[in-house]
Amino acid sequence: MKKSTRFFASMVAILFATALLAQDASYTYESVSNDPINTRIYTLDNGLKVYMSVNKETPRIQTFIAVRVGGKNDPAETTGLAHYFEHLMFKGTDKFGTLNYEKEKPLLDEIERLFEVYRNTTDEDARTAIYQQIDSVSYEASKLAIPNEYDKLMSAIGATGTNAYTGFDMTVYTDDIPSNQVENWAKIQAERFQNNVIRGFHTELETVYEEKNMSLTQDGRKVYEKMLATLFPHHPYGTQTVLGSQEHLKNPSITNIKEYYKTYYVPNNMAICLAGDFDPDGMIRVIDAHFGNMEPNDNLPPLPVTEQEELTKPVSVEVLGLEAANISLGWRFPGSASQEKDLLDIISLIMNNGQAGLVDLNLIQQQKVLSAYAGLYSMSDYCAFVMGANPKQGQTLEEARDLLLGQIDKLKKGEFSEELISASVNNLKLSQMRRIESNAGRANWFVNTFINGLDWKDQVDRLDRLARITKQDVVNFANAYFKENYAVIYKREGKDPNELKIAKPQITPIVMNRDARSEFLLGIQQAEVEPIEPVFLDFEKDLKKLKAKSDIPVLYKQNVNNGLFSLIYVFDMGNNTDKAIGTAFEYMRYLGTSTKSPEEIKTAFYNLACSFGVYPGSERVYVMLSGLAENMDKALELFEELLADAQVNPEAYANLTEDILKKRNDAKLNQGQNFNKLLQYAIWGSDSPDKNILSETELNTMDPEELVARIRQLNHFEHRILYYGPDSDDQFLTTLNRLHRVPATLTPVPEDNRFKQEPVKENKVYLAKYDAKQIYMAMVANDGVVYDPTIEPTREMYNEYFSGNMNSIVFQEMRESRGLAYSAYAYLMPPSKLNRPYILRAFIATQNDKMDDALKAFHQILNDMPESENAFNLAKDGLITRLRTDRIIKENILWAYINAQDLGLNTDRRKELFKQAQDMTLSDVKAFQEKWVKDRTYSYCILGNEEDLDLQQLETYGPIIRLSQEDIFGY
């Protein structure tokens, strides 16, 4: 970093168009006038960028460490490497994650050598033998390792959100830390980024492969990858994928990974992005002290420049998959730092903004397709403008394609208003206000700026630039760029022939060494920090309880931060009491009033930078209005008019009925939807809220006037109102009482006693069919015991220890030790209401032939919970530290009060948890597990293909009950 005692402000302003300021005569930084988050951008001497924004709302800091490298930088022969290395960055260094690195290193070197032999061997018998050697050496190495010690370190300092993600252009590591742990965080991260050691390789490889397996049933991901392959046939965006090929994942190279780490994980290719409660002068000194000695790489390899041939006619490609058919169109554009990006952002909103875009009004509102979208894939080297649609019943993909192209034609002809551009800019301002409300939103803004090589001043000035764009600019741009130069991806229903079935490897579970800890971890735990005192809610002081007309309770919290508002009507009734109510408010989306068309209503809301929605659930209906507070009165008046004066449209209802039935059939093709319905069947039994819907006959014979009557009558029922916004309580009540259309006396909501969560009295296996390489499996236990506040602190601690993070028992046993899954969890879940029972749920998504291994492993840890004092103390200390800095703020205070009321509470339950956690022991957690978890009876939910499962072994867990899609969906 450049250090100086003085600088020439005028010169820097000319060269950089930023203000270069100095603090304490040591560190210089860039800043920009009119920056809404007062960003500072430092550059250390070694090239490391540091972005900072101070936000004192909570005593926490969002940290992102971004590396400008991703899937596009993978060697062509080992694709998926960037993503795989992201996983390996959690394995430790020579100082943590190891008991004795001197003894461990020769074993790790041997594993590296064996994998090079393995990947260059083609004979399957020889490969099996080599893999057995790898497994054997890996087991010996695991005796000297401390798995997940990075997560233990982050738990020790009270971090949350410990994770990472990889894209084509970036790899980003995330943590949210308490504001008093800056020194410890910097020490941990600097050690991690400078001295990575690759260990636990073969089990983590299986985890990554399971992640790949999950992607194989995600048709949306396959369409995305095929779109990029078609638009960018000579660029890594199109020639390889972030997850990599199945073949490459099964033939990795530790040697290549090490070279990749050495090349790209260097300070002049990294940025630390911070937002939260800290002193920036102190923060930069700490970062410089720990990261300043990292060695830069002055020879970062540039990505080879590839010329993309111009498309002169549409290029059509087919993708097969089990999910419903759909169509996608894509056009290639320059990257995120290009001049074209501003116009593309505006065009994206003109086309599809969720309310008043061309796609919104001409296709969705007019019910010409089942669903549709348009928007931008923003990447560093190129962007892609993409449109897509799901066809209606009987509609071909080609017909849906032509409807999408028709909206491009309207764009080119200028068949949209100039007002739509100004409204879009206004809505972007709204989006920015929402983004900078959170530390994560601010820090993520920094990440995108760094990764895409953008100038911060250009980011701050973006809205002003967009406001200068005219309709003619848009029309000229559209005619210049949107030609017959697009890709068409036809996603059709069918079996994907490209999926490879690969048998599970024989893996010896590695040693977990739960009670071990390195000197590095011990040092972090013993470091003294000034404690932060917890702050819990006082429901008598932190919100106001008001009364509106008709004796309506109002929960009020003033927004003192910005000009945003949210207004919510909460009705304690839902689909359980009236199965037509969900259909009624789905119908409302297509209705106007006696004076306004539905298109006029949606356009008016968009012009006001406000949005509305009615969301019926099983037990509640939420009516939500939000946006710019300066326009709340107009938005509320318009919304109340729609509720009170919605007009019947028979044609819209006929279309809606047809679309609902098509969506129901499409849902049966989706793996996630099938599993969710299966899980609900296990929890509720054959009569579940999920199946309480209008039948096909009821839909076809329903008089739409009956649905409109439900819309008009909603405000006649008793309800509560939640308000968060800048108006004073008197101002708000005056507005509400003037505009809220309700009778003098409200109707009590109907009783809801029909549905009961079904106790599990004996083991049984529910088996539903879905043809995929990976099964979804859940275990559900319910003994009928309802909410008990006295057990809550211990239940929270049990969940924290058993399945709370990467240091938990579930993560270590199911993923780290055995490589059984990418995703697995097990929790004793609390009821949401007083009369509901506790439910023990476990879940794993795993390769079909790993099912029995997964079930056995789950039973082992659920019934004989591994005990570790060190692991428990870390879980306990991490929970307490988080509670010290956890703050419920803004509108979340209102929801916390609602949730407390649902459980019969009038205090913040975190207060009792914090109090009891101080003296809680592992023995307490063990006793809780013995009483609440051990030897439970389960309903097992298995979604998979019978032909790939060991049914004889499955029957040992209970009688198999085969469920059809009609059983679980209810139609």
Side-chain angles (χ1 to χ4, degrees):
M1 162 178 198
K2 302 215 178 272
K3 298 184 180 182
S4 108
T5 56
R6 61 197 183 101
F7 59 92
F8 300 103
S10 57
M11 181 66 71
V12 173
I14 294 170
L15 294 176
F16 301 106
T18 62
L20 194 61
L21 306 176
Q23 291 291 325
D24 72 12
S26 297
Y27 295 94
T28 57
Y29 60 85
E30 297 172 59
S31 68
V32 175
S33 60
N34 300 317
D35 181 352
I37 57 174
N38 298 313
T39 302
R40 292 186 180 190
I41 305 172
Y42 296 86
T43 307
L44 300 187
D45 286 339
N46 58 10
L48 178 69
K49 288 278 188 183
V50 184
Y51 293 76
M52 297 185 192
S53 175
V54 175
N55 178 15
K56 297 285 187 179
E57 275 192 325
T58 68
R60 297 194 68 88
I61 306 166
Q62 178 65 59
T63 74
F64 289 155
I65 301 183
V67 189
R68 198 183 278 143
V69 67
K72 72 182 182 186
N73 305 98
D74 290 344
E77 71 276 10
T78 49
T79 59
L81 187 152
H83 171 248
Y84 188 25
F85 183 68
E86 170 217 304
H87 284 240
L88 296 172
M89 276 290 287
F90 290 81
K91 300 300 181 181
T93 70
D94 57 352
K95 293 185 178 64
F96 69 83
T98 184
L99 291 167
N100 187 325
Y101 184 64
E102 257 185 60
K103 292 182 178 179
E104 184 191 23
K105 187 177 185 305
L107 296 171
L108 299 179
D109 290 344
E110 176 63 5
I111 293 168
E112 179 181 352
R113 185 192 70 80
L114 286 169
F115 263 110
E116 290 304 308
V117 176
Y118 180 74
R119 68 187 299 267
N120 289 296
T121 300
T122 57
D123 181 78
E124 285 302 319
D125 290 338
R127 282 171 61 85
T128 300
I130 296 166
Y131 195 90
Q132 288 174 347
Q133 287 182 269
I134 291 171
D135 183 64
S136 177
V137 179
S138 297
Y139 177 77
E140 292 303 316
S142 74
K143 294 177 181 178
L144 297 166
I146 308 174
N148 301 113
E149 194 163 33
Y150 172 74
D151 197 71
K152 294 176 183 179
L153 285 160
M154 300 316 292
S155 293
I157 68 172
T160 61
T162 296
N163 213 328
Y165 61 88
T166 303
F168 276 110
D169 302 307
M170 82 290 282
T171 311
V172 183
Y173 299 85
T174 73
D175 284 291
D176 186 294
I177 64 169
S179 57
N180 61 348
Q181 292 284 356
V182 168
E183 183 76 37
N184 283 328
W185 165 81
K187 182 178 180 181
I188 296 165
Q189 298 304 326
E191 171 63 21
R192 177 196 195 194
F193 275 85
Q194 293 180 71
N195 301 305
N196 173 265
V197 169
I198 295 174
R199 55 172 63 90
F201 189 82
H202 78 317
T203 52
E204 194 64 36
L205 180 63
E206 280 304 300
T207 293
V208 172
Y209 197 73
E210 286 296 345
E211 187 175 0
K212 178 68 175 180
N213 275 340
M214 291 181 76
S215 76
L216 297 178
T217 55
Q218 296 168 351
D219 286 357
R221 184 164 195 141
K222 289 191 282 189
V223 168
Y224 167 75
E225 291 174 351
K226 187 62 70 175
M227 176 65 75
L228 296 184
T230 309
L231 291 176
F232 309 112
H234 305 298
H235 187 282
Y237 289 164
T239 59
Q240 53 201 52
T241 67
V242 172
L243 289 181
S245 71
Q246 289 175 287
E247 180 184 355
H248 289 171
L249 289 176
K250 285 297 184 180
N251 294 281
S253 169
I254 296 176
T255 301
N256 281 4
I257 291 173
K258 284 183 173 180
E259 185 60 31
Y260 166 92
Y261 166 61
K262 178 183 175 182
T263 301
Y264 292 107
Y265 277 61
V266 290
N268 53 321
N269 200 41
M270 293 168 52
I272 297 177
C273 303
L274 307 167
D277 180 15
F278 57 86
D279 167 42
D281 298 326
M283 177 68 83
I284 193 61
R285 286 194 294 270
V286 170
I287 289 175
D288 193 17
H290 290 284
F291 287 87
N293 61 350
M294 285 185 74
E295 290 294 328
N297 179 3
D298 295 327
N299 298 300
L300 279 168
L303 196 69
V305 177
T306 56
E307 293 295 328
Q308 304 297 315
E309 296 176 5
E310 287 297 321
L311 297 180
T312 56
K313 62 180 180 179
V315 178
S316 300
V317 182
E318 286 195 352
V319 169
L320 292 177
L322 299 178
E323 296 177 4
N326 58 69
I327 183 79
S328 298
L329 309 176
W331 288 260
R332 183 173 65 219
F333 285 93
S336 291
S338 67
Q339 292 181 343
E340 291 85 347
K341 179 65 163 48
D342 284 350
L343 272 157
L344 286 168
D345 286 340
I346 287 294
I347 286 173
S348 294
L349 292 173
I350 291 172
M351 295 298 290
N352 182 202
N353 54 56
Q355 291 177 290
L358 295 177
V359 169
D360 301 300
L361 297 182
N362 299 329
L363 299 186
I364 299 173
Q365 181 63 43
Q366 295 185 29
Q367 298 172 295
K368 290 185 177 179
V369 292
L370 194 65
S371 63
Y373 69 90
L376 199 62
Y377 294 168
S378 296
M379 298 175 287
S380 290
D381 301 339
Y382 293 97
C383 293
F385 184 84
V386 179
M387 303 180 74
N390 287 75
K392 292 170 68 73
Q393 183 64 38
Q395 188 178 54
T396 67
L397 293 182
E398 288 76 11
E399 289 169 336
R401 174 203 63 200
D402 291 344
L403 287 168
L404 293 171
L405 289 172
Q407 304 316 300
I408 292 292
D409 193 47
K410 288 179 182 295
L411 178 75
K412 294 165 73 174
K413 291 177 179 177
E415 295 181 11
F416 59 90
S417 68
E418 190 91 42
E419 189 178 33
L420 183 54
I421 297 177
S422 58
S424 294
V425 174
N426 216 24
N427 277 272
L428 284 171
K429 291 177 182 177
L430 174 70
S431 297
Q432 178 165 294
M433 290 170 70
R434 286 174 172 161
R435 171 165 62 175
I436 65 177
E437 280 192 301
S438 73
N439 291 334
R442 297 180 183 205
N444 192 57
W445 194 3
F446 295 154
V447 169
N448 291 335
T449 300
F450 170 73
I451 292 299
N452 293 313
L454 306 175
D455 184 274
W456 186 247
K457 186 178 189 306
D458 290 340
Q459 291 290 285
V460 171
D461 293 343
R462 173 174 174 258
L463 293 176
D464 291 336
R465 290 198 312 276
L466 296 181
R468 293 193 291 269
I469 292 175
T470 66
K471 178 179 176 178
Q472 193 60 52
D473 292 332
V474 172
V475 171
N476 292 344
F477 183 91
N479 281 281
Y481 284 93
F482 288 96
K483 301 178 180 178
E484 297 291 298
N485 55 344
Y486 58 87
V488 189
I489 312 299
Y490 296 96
K491 196 270 126 187
R492 304 189 188 276
E493 294 172 26
K495 185 72 174 175
D496 187 347
N498 299 312
E499 291 182 17
L500 301 176
K501 182 177 180 180
I502 300 177
K504 67 175 183 179
Q506 294 301 316
I507 291 179
T508 305
I510 63 173
V511 179
M512 297 313 298
N513 289 321
R514 281 192 188 85
D515 279 319
R517 58 181 172 177
S518 64
E519 289 297 318
F520 190 91
L521 171 57
L522 187 61
I524 295 294
Q525 288 179 302
Q526 292 177 345
E528 292 187 10
V529 298
E530 185 176 346
I532 296 172
E533 290 307 309
V535 175
F536 302 116
L537 294 179
D538 182 337
F539 292 134
E540 297 303 315
K541 296 179 180 178
D542 292 322
L543 71 158
K544 287 186 177 181
K545 301 163 191 173
L546 312 173
K547 285 284 185 182
K549 66 180 181 181
S550 303
D551 209 29
I552 300 172
V554 175
L555 301 180
Y556 167 92
K557 179 68 179 178
Q558 189 169 31
N559 177 3
V560 297
N561 297 295
N562 56 36
L564 301 179
F565 83 96
S566 65
L567 176 63
I568 305 168
Y569 305 165
V570 181
F571 297 83
D572 286 308
M573 59 185 228
N575 288 320
N576 286 2
T577 53
D578 180 2
K579 65 179 179 180
I581 200 166
T583 305
F585 285 101
E586 197 170 352
Y587 184 39
M588 191 183 79
R589 299 174 190 171
Y590 304 101
L591 303 182
T593 67
S594 56
T595 60
K596 297 179 181 68
S597 70
E599 291 82 6
E600 288 173 329
I601 291 171
K602 287 183 167 56
T603 299
F605 272 110
Y606 191 65
N607 291 343
L608 293 170
C610 292
S611 59
F612 73 93
V614 181
Y615 306 97
S618 296
E619 298 173 307
R620 280 191 178 130
V621 174
Y622 299 98
V623 178
M624 299 185 173
L625 183 68
S626 64
L628 291 180
E630 64 193 69
N631 296 329
M632 187 186 80
D633 289 26
K634 293 178 181 177
L636 180 56
E637 184 175 15
L638 182 60
F639 183 52
E640 289 282 348
E641 178 186 347
L642 176 59
L643 285 174
D645 187 36
Q647 297 295 301
V648 172
N649 182 333
E651 183 181 356
Y653 181 69
N655 267 310
L656 175 63
T657 298
E658 182 181 280
D659 289 350
I660 288 173
L661 296 175
K662 175 68 162 61
K663 287 177 181 178
R664 288 181 183 179
N665 287 329
D666 288 355
K668 289 184 174 182
L669 302 174
N670 180 273
Q671 185 180 28
Q673 294 263 22
N674 275 268
F675 184 72
N676 180 59
K677 298 297 184 183
L678 175 60
L679 185 60
Q680 295 306 311
Y681 189 100
I683 292 172
W684 294 93
S686 59
D687 186 26
S688 74
D690 257 32
K691 294 162 65 175
N692 188 43
I693 55 177
L694 293 174
S695 68
E696 182 174 352
T697 299
E698 288 171 323
L699 283 168
N700 286 324
T701 58
M702 172 71 72
D703 182 351
E705 183 63 58
E706 294 181 35
L707 298 179
V708 170
R710 286 172 167 84
I711 297 169
R712 294 172 181 164
Q713 288 296 314
L714 182 65
N715 275 348
H716 290 233
F717 286 98
E718 292 176 344
H719 55 282
R720 292 171 284 179
I721 294 178
L722 282 60
Y723 172 78
Y724 175 74
D727 282 1
S728 70
D729 51 357
D730 288 339
Q731 287 174 319
F732 171 67
L733 283 179
T734 299
T735 301
L736 182 69
N737 288 332
R738 177 169 55 88
L739 298 174
H740 192 28
R741 301 189 185 188
V742 291
T745 302
L746 299 178
T747 304
V749 297
E751 291 288 324
D752 171 18
N753 295 313
R754 172 179 165 186
F755 299 102
K756 308 291 182 185
Q757 292 173 324
E758 199 169 76
V760 181
K761 297 178 179 178
E762 56 187 9
N763 290 331
K764 50 186 174 288
V765 179
Y766 291 122
L767 179 60
K769 184 175 182 179
Y770 194 86
D771 188 13
K773 302 299 181 199
Q774 192 178 55
I775 64 160
Y776 284 8
M777 187 275 289
M779 299 163 60
V780 176
N782 170 12
D783 60 7
V785 177
V786 297
Y787 181 72
D788 178 359
T790 64
I791 73 159
E792 282 299 288
T794 315
R795 182 194 61 80
E796 294 259 18
M797 188 66 79
Y798 166 78
N799 283 342
E800 182 75 16
Y801 173 71
F802 191 67
S803 195
N805 52 45
M806 296 182 198
N807 183 42
S808 69
I809 302 300
V810 171
F811 187 94
Q812 289 196 340
E813 291 293 335
M814 306 303 289
R815 177 167 159 167
E816 191 78 10
S817 176
R818 294 171 170 86
L820 289 173
Y822 171 72
S823 176
Y825 66 77
Y827 294 105
L828 182 62
M829 306 184 76
S832 58
K833 292 193 173 181
L834 272 174
N835 62 345
R836 291 282 166 77
Y838 289 91
I839 293 181
L840 179 63
R841 269 173 57 178
F843 167 81
I844 193 169
T846 191
Q847 198 168 297
N848 292 329
D849 55 3
K850 296 177 182 178
M851 178 191 70
D852 189 47
D853 294 339
L855 283 167
K856 286 177 179 175
F858 255 135
H859 272 280
Q860 181 181 339
I861 61 176
L862 284 165
N863 293 330
D864 299 305
M865 183 183 75
E867 297 177 58
S868 166
E869 284 290 346
N870 280 344
F872 170 76
N873 288 331
L874 278 165
K876 172 181 171 178
D877 292 346
L879 178 62
I880 291 172
T881 302
R882 291 201 305 276
L883 286 170
R884 286 184 177 277
T885 56
D886 183 30
R887 300 289 185 269
I888 297 176
I889 59 174
K890 301 178 181 177
E891 64 263 46
N892 292 329
I893 295 173
L894 306 179
W895 290 113
Y897 179 70
I898 292 282
N899 294 335
Q901 282 192 315
D902 286 344
L903 294 171
L905 304 175
N906 54 22
T907 59
D908 185 343
R909 54 183 174 174
R910 296 174 303 158
K911 188 173 183 179
E912 189 62 24
L913 172 59
F914 181 77
K915 177 183 175 183
Q916 291 197 31
Q918 313 296 323
D919 301 318
M920 214 171 285
T921 66
L922 179 58
S923 297
D924 295 327
V925 170
K926 180 62 178 175
F928 181 88
Q929 179 264 340
E930 294 271 355
K931 179 178 179 180
W932 284 86
V933 179
K934 187 174 182 179
D935 297 328
R936 297 286 291 270
T937 54
Y938 293 98
S939 291
Y940 299 87
C941 305
I942 308 290
L943 182 71
N945 189 342
E946 273 194 43
E947 296 175 6
D948 295 332
L949 304 178
D950 186 342
L951 297 183
Q952 186 175 355
Q953 187 61 41
L954 195 56
E955 284 181 324
T956 65
Y957 295 96
I960 296 177
I961 302 169
R962 290 172 174 81
L963 297 175
S964 67
Q965 287 190 313
E966 186 174 353
D967 290 329
I968 60 177
F969 281 87
Y971 54 83

